[in-house]
PDB file of all heavy atoms in Angstrom:
ATOM      1  N   ARG A 103     -12.403 -15.027  -7.659  1.00 75.00           N
ATOM      2  CA  ARG A 103     -12.930 -13.664  -7.523  1.00 75.00           C
ATOM      3  C   ARG A 103     -13.377 -13.492  -6.083  1.00 75.00           C
ATOM      4  O   ARG A 103     -14.191 -14.251  -5.577  1.00 75.00           O
ATOM      5  CB  ARG A 103     -14.105 -13.471  -8.484  1.00 75.00           C
ATOM      6  CG  ARG A 103     -14.553 -12.055  -8.626  1.00 75.00           C
ATOM      7  CD  ARG A 103     -15.581 -11.964  -9.759  1.00 75.00           C
ATOM      8  NE  ARG A 103     -16.072 -10.627  -9.886  1.00 75.00           N
ATOM      9  CZ  ARG A 103     -15.754  -9.807 -10.875  1.00 75.00           C
ATOM     10  NH1 ARG A 103     -14.943 -10.213 -11.823  1.00 75.00           N
ATOM     11  NH2 ARG A 103     -16.239  -8.601 -10.934  1.00 75.00           N
ATOM     12  N   GLU A 104     -12.841 -12.474  -5.429  1.00 84.00           N
ATOM     13  CA  GLU A 104     -13.176 -12.225  -4.036  1.00 84.00           C
ATOM     14  C   GLU A 104     -14.654 -11.838  -3.915  1.00 84.00           C
ATOM     15  O   GLU A 104     -15.188 -11.110  -4.739  1.00 84.00           O
ATOM     16  CB  GLU A 104     -12.308 -11.098  -3.489  1.00 84.00           C
ATOM     17  CG  GLU A 104     -12.517 -10.843  -2.025  1.00 84.00           C
ATOM     18  CD  GLU A 104     -11.617  -9.733  -1.501  1.00 84.00           C
ATOM     19  OE1 GLU A 104     -10.925  -9.081  -2.280  1.00 84.00           O
ATOM     20  OE2 GLU A 104     -11.627  -9.546  -0.271  1.00 84.00           O
ATOM     21  N   ILE A 105     -15.292 -12.368  -2.887  1.00 86.00           N
ATOM     22  CA  ILE A 105     -16.686 -12.019  -2.608  1.00 86.00           C
ATOM     23  C   ILE A 105     -16.708 -11.257  -1.296  1.00 86.00           C
ATOM     24  O   ILE A 105     -16.249 -11.745  -0.273  1.00 86.00           O
ATOM     25  CB  ILE A 105     -17.583 -13.265  -2.505  1.00 86.00           C
ATOM     26  CG1 ILE A 105     -17.602 -14.005  -3.835  1.00 86.00           C
ATOM     27  CG2 ILE A 105     -18.998 -12.864  -2.091  1.00 86.00           C
ATOM     28  CD1 ILE A 105     -18.382 -15.299  -3.807  1.00 86.00           C
ATOM     29  N   ILE A 106     -17.222 -10.049  -1.344  1.00 86.00           N
ATOM     30  CA  ILE A 106     -17.356  -9.229  -0.150  1.00 86.00           C
ATOM     31  C   ILE A 106     -18.799  -9.311   0.298  1.00 86.00           C
ATOM     32  O   ILE A 106     -19.722  -8.997  -0.458  1.00 86.00           O
ATOM     33  CB  ILE A 106     -16.945  -7.773  -0.441  1.00 86.00           C
ATOM     34  CG1 ILE A 106     -15.476  -7.732  -0.864  1.00 86.00           C
ATOM     35  CG2 ILE A 106     -17.195  -6.898   0.776  1.00 86.00           C
ATOM     36  CD1 ILE A 106     -14.986  -6.385  -1.303  1.00 86.00           C
ATOM     37  N   LEU A 107     -18.993  -9.775   1.520  1.00 84.00           N
ATOM     38  CA  LEU A 107     -20.337  -9.908   2.080  1.00 84.00           C
ATOM     39  C   LEU A 107     -20.670  -8.672   2.895  1.00 84.00           C
ATOM     40  O   LEU A 107     -19.905  -8.275   3.768  1.00 84.00           O
ATOM     41  CB  LEU A 107     -20.418 -11.154   2.952  1.00 84.00           C
ATOM     42  CG  LEU A 107     -20.136 -12.486   2.235  1.00 84.00           C
ATOM     43  CD1 LEU A 107     -20.009 -13.610   3.244  1.00 84.00           C
ATOM     44  CD2 LEU A 107     -21.231 -12.778   1.238  1.00 84.00           C
ATOM     45  N   LEU A 108     -21.803  -8.067   2.601  1.00 81.00           N
ATOM     46  CA  LEU A 108     -22.268  -6.894   3.331  1.00 81.00           C
ATOM     47  C   LEU A 108     -23.596  -7.207   4.008  1.00 81.00           C
ATOM     48  O   LEU A 108     -24.422  -7.937   3.451  1.00 81.00           O
ATOM     49  CB  LEU A 108     -22.464  -5.708   2.379  1.00 81.00           C
ATOM     50  CG  LEU A 108     -21.222  -5.143   1.716  1.00 81.00           C
ATOM     51  CD1 LEU A 108     -21.610  -4.024   0.763  1.00 81.00           C
ATOM     52  CD2 LEU A 108     -20.245  -4.629   2.747  1.00 81.00           C
ATOM     53  N   PRO A 109     -23.829  -6.644   5.174  1.00 81.00           N
ATOM     54  CA  PRO A 109     -25.133  -6.824   5.824  1.00 81.00           C
ATOM     55  C   PRO A 109     -26.248  -6.224   4.965  1.00 81.00           C
ATOM     56  O   PRO A 109     -26.038  -5.280   4.204  1.00 81.00           O
ATOM     57  CB  PRO A 109     -24.992  -6.057   7.142  1.00 81.00           C
ATOM     58  CG  PRO A 109     -23.531  -5.857   7.339  1.00 81.00           C
ATOM     59  CD  PRO A 109     -22.900  -5.881   5.994  1.00 81.00           C
ATOM     60  N   GLU A 110     -27.428  -6.776   5.097  1.00 77.00           N
ATOM     61  CA  GLU A 110     -28.591  -6.296   4.332  1.00 77.00           C
ATOM     62  C   GLU A 110     -28.865  -4.819   4.576  1.00 77.00           C
ATOM     63  O   GLU A 110     -29.426  -4.141   3.723  1.00 77.00           O
ATOM     64  CB  GLU A 110     -29.844  -7.110   4.715  1.00 77.00           C
ATOM     65  CG  GLU A 110     -29.756  -8.572   4.383  1.00 77.00           C
ATOM     66  CD  GLU A 110     -30.151  -8.880   2.956  1.00 77.00           C
ATOM     67  OE1 GLU A 110     -30.690  -8.000   2.267  1.00 77.00           O
ATOM     68  OE2 GLU A 110     -29.901 -10.025   2.532  1.00 77.00           O
ATOM     69  N   THR A 111     -28.461  -4.300   5.736  1.00 77.00           N
ATOM     70  CA  THR A 111     -28.751  -2.912   6.088  1.00 77.00           C
ATOM     71  C   THR A 111     -27.847  -1.903   5.371  1.00 77.00           C
ATOM     72  O   THR A 111     -28.157  -0.716   5.356  1.00 77.00           O
ATOM     73  CB  THR A 111     -28.600  -2.706   7.609  1.00 77.00           C
ATOM     74  OG1 THR A 111     -27.274  -3.088   7.991  1.00 77.00           O
ATOM     75  CG2 THR A 111     -29.627  -3.536   8.360  1.00 77.00           C
ATOM     76  N   ASP A 112     -26.738  -2.357   4.797  1.00 80.00           N
ATOM     77  CA  ASP A 112     -25.827  -1.440   4.095  1.00 80.00           C
ATOM     78  C   ASP A 112     -26.372  -1.124   2.708  1.00 80.00           C
ATOM     79  O   ASP A 112     -26.554  -2.011   1.877  1.00 80.00           O
ATOM     80  CB  ASP A 112     -24.433  -2.045   3.967  1.00 80.00           C
ATOM     81  CG  ASP A 112     -23.674  -2.065   5.273  1.00 80.00           C
ATOM     82  OD1 ASP A 112     -24.244  -1.609   6.284  1.00 80.00           O
ATOM     83  OD2 ASP A 112     -22.525  -2.524   5.280  1.00 80.00           O
ATOM     84  N   ALA A 113     -26.619   0.156   2.453  1.00 80.00           N
ATOM     85  CA  ALA A 113     -27.128   0.573   1.158  1.00 80.00           C
ATOM     86  C   ALA A 113     -26.001   1.035   0.240  1.00 80.00           C
ATOM     87  O   ALA A 113     -26.157   1.048  -0.977  1.00 80.00           O
ATOM     88  CB  ALA A 113     -28.144   1.698   1.337  1.00 80.00           C
ATOM     89  N   ASP A 114     -24.882   1.427   0.840  1.00 86.00           N
ATOM     90  CA  ASP A 114     -23.757   1.938   0.078  1.00 86.00           C
ATOM     91  C   ASP A 114     -22.496   1.160   0.426  1.00 86.00           C
ATOM     92  O   ASP A 114     -22.380   0.600   1.510  1.00 86.00           O
ATOM     93  CB  ASP A 114     -23.505   3.419   0.407  1.00 86.00           C
ATOM     94  CG  ASP A 114     -24.682   4.302   0.031  1.00 86.00           C
ATOM     95  OD1 ASP A 114     -25.406   3.952  -0.918  1.00 86.00           O
ATOM     96  OD2 ASP A 114     -24.864   5.333   0.683  1.00 86.00           O
ATOM     97  N   MET A 115     -21.554   1.175  -0.511  1.00 87.00           N
ATOM     98  CA  MET A 115     -20.261   0.538  -0.262  1.00 87.00           C
ATOM     99  C   MET A 115     -19.185   1.593  -0.431  1.00 87.00           C
ATOM    100  O   MET A 115     -19.056   2.200  -1.495  1.00 87.00           O
ATOM    101  CB  MET A 115     -20.020  -0.612  -1.226  1.00 87.00           C
ATOM    102  CG  MET A 115     -18.702  -1.288  -0.997  1.00 87.00           C
ATOM    103  SD  MET A 115     -18.528  -2.705  -2.079  1.00 87.00           S
ATOM    104  CE  MET A 115     -17.049  -3.416  -1.405  1.00 87.00           C
ATOM    105  N   ASP A 116     -18.401   1.806   0.628  1.00 90.00           N
ATOM    106  CA  ASP A 116     -17.291   2.749   0.594  1.00 90.00           C
ATOM    107  C   ASP A 116     -16.046   1.980   0.155  1.00 90.00           C
ATOM    108  O   ASP A 116     -15.579   1.087   0.861  1.00 90.00           O
ATOM    109  CB  ASP A 116     -17.092   3.385   1.965  1.00 90.00           C
ATOM    110  CG  ASP A 116     -16.037   4.475   1.975  1.00 90.00           C
ATOM    111  OD1 ASP A 116     -15.401   4.701   0.915  1.00 90.00           O
ATOM    112  OD2 ASP A 116     -15.848   5.101   3.027  1.00 90.00           O
ATOM    113  N   LEU A 117     -15.505   2.335  -1.007  1.00 92.00           N
ATOM    114  CA  LEU A 117     -14.342   1.645  -1.555  1.00 92.00           C
ATOM    115  C   LEU A 117     -13.017   2.272  -1.127  1.00 92.00           C
ATOM    116  O   LEU A 117     -11.960   1.858  -1.599  1.00 92.00           O
ATOM    117  CB  LEU A 117     -14.416   1.634  -3.087  1.00 92.00           C
ATOM    118  CG  LEU A 117     -15.556   0.843  -3.702  1.00 92.00           C
ATOM    119  CD1 LEU A 117     -15.554   1.009  -5.213  1.00 92.00           C
ATOM    120  CD2 LEU A 117     -15.461  -0.613  -3.334  1.00 92.00           C
ATOM    121  N   SER A 118     -13.044   3.254  -0.237  1.00 93.00           N
ATOM    122  CA  SER A 118     -11.826   3.965   0.159  1.00 93.00           C
ATOM    123  C   SER A 118     -10.756   3.018   0.686  1.00 93.00           C
ATOM    124  O   SER A 118      -9.596   3.078   0.260  1.00 93.00           O
ATOM    125  CB  SER A 118     -12.131   5.026   1.212  1.00 93.00           C
ATOM    126  OG  SER A 118     -13.022   5.972   0.705  1.00 93.00           O
ATOM    127  N   GLN A 119     -11.101   2.160   1.625  1.00 92.00           N
ATOM    128  CA  GLN A 119     -10.124   1.231   2.197  1.00 92.00           C
ATOM    129  C   GLN A 119      -9.631   0.252   1.145  1.00 92.00           C
ATOM    130  O   GLN A 119      -8.441  -0.088   1.105  1.00 92.00           O
ATOM    131  CB  GLN A 119     -10.721   0.482   3.393  1.00 92.00           C
ATOM    132  CG  GLN A 119      -9.728  -0.410   4.113  1.00 92.00           C
ATOM    133  CD  GLN A 119      -8.657   0.374   4.847  1.00 92.00           C
ATOM    134  OE1 GLN A 119      -8.958   1.311   5.575  1.00 92.00           O
ATOM    135  NE2 GLN A 119      -7.399   0.005   4.654  1.00 92.00           N
ATOM    136  N   ILE A 120     -10.505  -0.201   0.270  1.00 92.00           N
ATOM    137  CA  ILE A 120     -10.118  -1.143  -0.777  1.00 92.00           C
ATOM    138  C   ILE A 120      -9.144  -0.494  -1.751  1.00 92.00           C
ATOM    139  O   ILE A 120      -8.130  -1.084  -2.117  1.00 92.00           O
ATOM    140  CB  ILE A 120     -11.376  -1.682  -1.500  1.00 92.00           C
ATOM    141  CG1 ILE A 120     -12.181  -2.547  -0.532  1.00 92.00           C
ATOM    142  CG2 ILE A 120     -11.013  -2.454  -2.757  1.00 92.00           C
ATOM    143  CD1 ILE A 120     -13.536  -2.964  -1.028  1.00 92.00           C
ATOM    144  N   VAL A 121      -9.415   0.752  -2.150  1.00 94.00           N
ATOM    145  CA  VAL A 121      -8.504   1.471  -3.042  1.00 94.00           C
ATOM    146  C   VAL A 121      -7.148   1.640  -2.372  1.00 94.00           C
ATOM    147  O   VAL A 121      -6.106   1.371  -2.975  1.00 94.00           O
ATOM    148  CB  VAL A 121      -9.100   2.841  -3.451  1.00 94.00           C
ATOM    149  CG1 VAL A 121      -8.059   3.711  -4.131  1.00 94.00           C
ATOM    150  CG2 VAL A 121     -10.321   2.652  -4.341  1.00 94.00           C
ATOM    151  N   TYR A 122      -7.144   2.060  -1.116  1.00 95.00           N
ATOM    152  CA  TYR A 122      -5.895   2.244  -0.373  1.00 95.00           C
ATOM    153  C   TYR A 122      -5.104   0.928  -0.311  1.00 95.00           C
ATOM    154  O   TYR A 122      -3.907   0.898  -0.587  1.00 95.00           O
ATOM    155  CB  TYR A 122      -6.198   2.754   1.039  1.00 95.00           C
ATOM    156  CG  TYR A 122      -4.984   2.831   1.923  1.00 95.00           C
ATOM    157  CD1 TYR A 122      -4.094   3.902   1.817  1.00 95.00           C
ATOM    158  CD2 TYR A 122      -4.713   1.846   2.860  1.00 95.00           C
ATOM    159  CE1 TYR A 122      -2.963   3.976   2.621  1.00 95.00           C
ATOM    160  CE2 TYR A 122      -3.595   1.915   3.665  1.00 95.00           C
ATOM    161  CZ  TYR A 122      -2.730   2.979   3.540  1.00 95.00           C
ATOM    162  OH  TYR A 122      -1.608   3.045   4.334  1.00 95.00           O
ATOM    163  N   ASP A 123      -5.784  -0.158   0.033  1.00 94.00           N
ATOM    164  CA  ASP A 123      -5.107  -1.450   0.168  1.00 94.00           C
ATOM    165  C   ASP A 123      -4.506  -1.925  -1.156  1.00 94.00           C
ATOM    166  O   ASP A 123      -3.366  -2.392  -1.202  1.00 94.00           O
ATOM    167  CB  ASP A 123      -6.068  -2.505   0.702  1.00 94.00           C
ATOM    168  CG  ASP A 123      -6.463  -2.268   2.148  1.00 94.00           C
ATOM    169  OD1 ASP A 123      -5.777  -1.491   2.846  1.00 94.00           O
ATOM    170  OD2 ASP A 123      -7.482  -2.854   2.580  1.00 94.00           O
ATOM    171  N   TYR A 124      -5.259  -1.813  -2.249  1.00 94.00           N
ATOM    172  CA  TYR A 124      -4.752  -2.272  -3.543  1.00 94.00           C
ATOM    173  C   TYR A 124      -3.577  -1.427  -4.016  1.00 94.00           C
ATOM    174  O   TYR A 124      -2.630  -1.949  -4.607  1.00 94.00           O
ATOM    175  CB  TYR A 124      -5.854  -2.299  -4.594  1.00 94.00           C
ATOM    176  CG  TYR A 124      -6.751  -3.505  -4.484  1.00 94.00           C
ATOM    177  CD1 TYR A 124      -8.124  -3.385  -4.501  1.00 94.00           C
ATOM    178  CD2 TYR A 124      -6.220  -4.794  -4.381  1.00 94.00           C
ATOM    179  CE1 TYR A 124      -8.943  -4.493  -4.404  1.00 94.00           C
ATOM    180  CE2 TYR A 124      -7.027  -5.901  -4.286  1.00 94.00           C
ATOM    181  CZ  TYR A 124      -8.396  -5.751  -4.295  1.00 94.00           C
ATOM    182  OH  TYR A 124      -9.198  -6.854  -4.203  1.00 94.00           O
TER     183      TYR A 124
END
Side-chain angles (χ1 to χ4, degrees):
R103 191 172 178 107
E104 184 179 7
I105 297 176
I106 298 174
L107 299 170
L108 294 177
E110 297 275 349
T111 57
D112 287 0
D114 298 331
M115 180 176 189
D116 185 357
L117 295 176
S118 299
Q119 185 69 48
I120 293 171
V121 168
Y122 174 80
D123 291 343
Y124 281 132

